[in-house]
């Protein structure tokens, strides 16, 4: 096991006790500080947090005056679950319920002799999973959606909070909405989402002549696009997108979800022949378990596609986490992030079966 350790000047004495405890138990990645001279604790916390987040270390230990500042700073790093635990009981609970991967302690709160019992409790307690894992999945999905931040080679998650999108989402969730209304609204929602999913398309400056003068303007710089709906529900989003990018090619992927295993089964795949040269938007209205989405993304990558985004109306944290785990290079765009999946694999509160509501089937 590799443990990243860091402290500021107020935690320097306590760090010696931590290093002594870890001797012979784990490989230590020491991120400083290496003296009692004053330093800024966020600088150390970020180093330890990134070490854990990027997989260089399995866990991290941070030390400052109280442990509070270090925990706050470390939690700004994606994937970090840091908390201050200045007694063994809190350390044990932090592992059992929160799967804490960075422990912070306070050099002005505890004595060096108290370090060993705290670390004993933290290292010996396993994560209980179950309901606690569901809660951590929600935190991870919120973390991904709250900040549209691109990390190196890692796709972002964008929840689109535009008032028109949220208004129309409220209508399609309503069980009283008719098939005709539902179908029209899904197209409208897809059209509204186009503005965000195409935000980063490259532009080229050109010169045009208006009725009054010559001026500079912009045009898309030859970027080829394709939309690929996952059948059947994904078909409902196609026309809304093509209204704004009519030159995009359209592929199709057919997958159905096995009712027993909830895993996808492929029955059809037809993509543009130059898929490797195009930016691909995969359309899957409901990102539930993530099985169909990850299978579709794998099929497209197997045929040479490199730049892919996933566009969904509603997602569950479980689906978001699975896509990010299996396809970390794919950006995810969603109109709503719901709470969880029920025992049948449906998104809650969701909107029911999108395919049935689009096509009037049961």
């Amino acid at each position: 096991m590799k443990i990243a350790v860091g402290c500021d000047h107020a935690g320097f004495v306590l760090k010696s006790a931590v290093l002594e405890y870890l001797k012979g138990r784990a490989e230590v990645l020491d991120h400083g500080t290496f003296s009692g001279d004053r330093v800024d604790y966020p600088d150390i916390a970020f180093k330890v947090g990134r070490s854990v987040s990027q997989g260089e270390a399995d866990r991290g230990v941070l030390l400052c005056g109280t442990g509070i500042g270090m925990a706050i700073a470390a939690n700004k790093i994606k994937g970090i679950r840091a908390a201050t635990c200045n007694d063994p009981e809190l350390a044990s609970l932090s592992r059992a319920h929160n799967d804490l991967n960075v422990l912070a302690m306070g050099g002005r709160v505890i004595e060096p002799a108290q370090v060993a019992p705290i670390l004993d409790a933290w290292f010996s307690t396993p994560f209980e999973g179950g309901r606690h894992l569901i809660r951590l999945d929600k935190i991870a999905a919120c973390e991904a959606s709250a900040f549209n931040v691109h990390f190196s080679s890692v796709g972002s998650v964008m929840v689109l909070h535009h008032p028109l999108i949220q208004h129309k989402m409220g209508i399609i969730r309503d069980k009283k909405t008719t098939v005709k209304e539902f179908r029209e609204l899904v197209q409208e929602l897809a059209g509204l989402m186009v503005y965000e999913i195409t935000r980063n398309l490259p532009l080229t400056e050109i010169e045009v002549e208006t009725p009054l003068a010559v001026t500079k303007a912009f045009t898309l710089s030859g970027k080829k696009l394709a939309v690929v709906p996952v059948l059947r529900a994904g078909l409902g989003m196609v026309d809304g997108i093509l209204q704004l990018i009519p030159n995009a090619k359209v592929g199709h992927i057919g997958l159905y979800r096995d009712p027993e295993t909830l895993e996808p089964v492929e029955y059809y795949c037809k993509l543009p022949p130059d898929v490797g040269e195009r930016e691909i938007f995969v359309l899957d209205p409901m990102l539930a378990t993530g099985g169909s989405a990850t299978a579709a993304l794998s099929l497209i990558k197997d045929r040479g596609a490199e730049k892919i985004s996933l566009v969904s109306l509603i997602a569950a944290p479980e689906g978001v986490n699975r896509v990010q785990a299996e396809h970390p290079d794919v950006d995810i765009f969603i109109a709503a992030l719901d709470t969880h999946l029920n025992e049948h694999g449906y998104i809650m509160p969701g909107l029911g079966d999108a395919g049935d509501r689009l096509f009037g089937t049961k």
Side-chain angles (χ1 to χ4, degrees):
M1 178 180 286
K2 293 182 179 180
I3 306 298
V5 177
C7 70
D8 68 359
H9 51 283
F12 181 66
V13 172
L14 212 60
K15 190 176 98 168
S16 298
V18 171
L19 296 178
E20 181 63 29
Y21 174 90
L22 293 174
K23 190 180 300 181
R25 288 184 168 96
E27 181 180 342
V28 174
L29 304 178
D30 193 341
H31 292 281
T33 185
F34 301 102
S35 73
D37 295 338
R38 188 174 299 275
V39 296
D40 293 329
Y41 65 82
D43 297 334
I44 305 297
F46 295 154
K47 289 179 182 179
V48 170
R50 290 191 183 103
S51 185
V52 175
S53 177
Q54 295 171 4
E56 298 171 353
D58 299 296
R59 298 190 206 172
V61 177
L62 287 168
L63 311 153
C64 63
T66 63
I68 295 171
M70 283 290 197
I72 291 173
N75 279 320
K76 301 304 180 184
I77 305 298
K78 185 180 181 184
I80 294 303
R81 298 178 298 278
T84 302
C85 301
N86 285 321
D87 66 62
E89 183 179 6
L90 287 178
S92 178
L93 289 171
S94 77
R95 284 293 303 157
H97 295 180
N98 311 111
D99 198 18
L100 200 76
N101 56 13
V102 174
L103 174 74
M105 293 181 284
R108 294 172 180 154
V109 180
I110 63 173
E111 298 296 327
Q114 296 174 265
V115 165
I118 293 172
L119 292 180
D120 276 338
W122 193 52
F123 284 116
S124 64
T125 304
F127 177 49
E128 293 179 1
R131 68 184 188 279
H132 304 299
L133 179 59
I134 293 173
R135 293 161 184 167
L136 290 184
D137 284 343
K138 292 180 180 181
I139 293 172
C142 181
E143 175 187 54
S145 64
F147 307 101
N148 185 28
V149 179
H150 289 266
F151 297 86
S152 57
S153 75
V154 177
S156 65
V157 178
M158 171 68 83
V159 182
L160 308 182
H161 296 292
H162 192 284
L164 286 177
I165 291 177
Q166 294 308 312
H167 169 72
K168 293 177 187 295
M169 285 297 300
I171 300 174
I172 68 169
R173 287 185 189 271
D174 191 335
K175 67 179 183 180
K176 297 190 294 291
T177 298
T178 66
V179 171
K180 176 179 180 294
E181 293 169 331
F182 189 92
R183 189 178 300 147
E184 292 172 347
L185 285 164
V186 168
Q187 291 184 19
E188 291 172 12
L189 281 162
L192 289 169
M193 294 177 75
V194 167
Y195 293 100
E196 195 59 52
I197 68 177
T198 59
R199 177 182 291 274
N200 294 319
L201 293 180
L203 294 171
T204 298
E205 189 177 87
I206 60 172
E207 189 176 87
V208 299
E209 186 174 356
T210 78
L212 300 176
V214 174
T215 187
K216 301 292 185 183
F218 294 93
T219 185
L220 290 174
S221 58
K223 187 70 175 179
K224 295 181 178 180
L225 306 176
V227 294
V228 181
V230 178
L231 303 179
R232 63 183 168 153
L235 290 172
M237 302 176 70
V238 173
D239 288 344
I241 291 178
L242 291 181
Q243 287 177 12
L244 290 174
I245 46 176
N247 292 326
K249 295 292 182 65
V250 181
H252 297 87
I253 291 180
L255 298 164
Y256 68 88
R257 187 168 62 170
D258 186 291
E260 298 297 327
T261 66
L262 303 182
E263 291 301 308
V265 180
E266 175 194 351
Y267 64 88
Y268 184 78
C269 183
K270 184 77 170 181
L271 301 175
D274 58 349
V275 68
E277 302 172 15
R278 295 181 177 273
E279 183 161 347
I280 312 296
F281 298 110
V282 177
L283 312 180
D284 191 4
M286 308 298 286
L287 179 54
T289 64
S292 295
T294 54
L297 293 168
S298 294
L299 285 172
I300 295 170
K301 287 182 177 180
D302 289 344
R303 285 158 175 79
E306 296 182 355
K307 176 57 179 173
I308 312 172
S309 297
L310 175 63
V311 186
S312 300
L313 297 181
I314 299 178
E318 296 90 334
V320 170
N321 291 334
R322 180 168 178 177
V323 171
Q324 289 204 306
E326 297 187 25
H327 298 282
D329 55 327
V330 172
D331 292 336
I332 304 172
F333 297 89
I334 56 179
L337 180 65
D338 280 10
T339 60
H340 66 287
L341 298 177
N342 68 11
E343 64 274 17
H344 303 295
Y346 281 94
I347 300 174
M348 297 295 292
L351 51 73
D353 189 297
D356 285 344
R357 298 195 64 186
L358 274 166
F359 300 107
T361 55
K362 292 286 187 181

